[in-house]
Amino acid sequence: MKDQGSVNGSETPAVKYDRALALFTESVMKPDHDLRGCAHNQGCYNELLEIREHVLKYLKTLKEVTYHYNADESDEIETAKLENEKAVTDNFYDGWRKFELIDDE
């Protein structure tokens, strides 16, 4: 990830949000060899990559379909898919948190 230089400050909030989301997604996708090495040493490499996949799926749900430049009827279908994916992801994390609390007791 290399900074491409400054941008002018007159962008809309939607453009700024989209840019921030793209940068964050890129940071999740970028391999971190030190972090992965720690995960290997601590025996949780597969779990780390599983969480990474869940986060990437969740980040896709954050992209607002209202920012389509050439909107058409397929946008409603895509919105429904994203809402469903977000619900599945939210349920996964709710279950994971409950499991974590039980484990701590």
Side-chain angles (χ1 to χ4, degrees):
M1 176 181 347
K2 290 193 176 210
D3 190 5
Q4 301 299 312
S6 297
V7 294
N8 101 25
S10 63
E11 291 88 10
T12 66
V15 170
K16 289 179 181 181
Y17 182 88
D18 191 49
R19 186 181 317 114
L21 185 57
L23 286 169
F24 188 80
T25 301
E26 188 176 339
S27 75
V28 172
M29 293 176 70
K30 183 178 179 181
D32 182 333
H33 301 293
D34 292 334
L35 181 67
R36 291 180 184 198
C38 289
H40 273 297
N41 292 339
Q42 296 177 26
C44 61
Y45 178 79
N46 291 333
E47 291 80 2
L48 176 69
L49 292 186
E50 179 183 342
I51 292 168
R52 177 182 176 269
E53 285 303 312
H54 288 293
V55 169
L56 288 171
K57 283 182 183 178
Y58 180 72
L59 290 172
K60 287 181 185 178
T61 69
L62 294 179
K63 277 200 168 252
E64 297 288 338
V65 295
T66 55
Y67 300 133
H68 288 294
Y69 297 107
N70 298 314
D72 60 21
E73 66 278 355
S74 68
D75 293 337
E76 290 180 22
I77 296 168
E78 290 303 313
T79 299
K81 285 182 189 175
L82 290 173
E83 288 172 352
N84 184 49
E85 182 66 38
K86 185 175 183 324
V88 168
T89 303
D90 288 347
N91 287 336
F92 168 80
Y93 284 113
D94 286 344
W96 181 66
R97 286 185 200 110
K98 288 176 190 169
F99 176 74
E100 185 180 56
L101 292 173
I102 292 169
D103 242 10
D104 288 342
E105 291 175 352

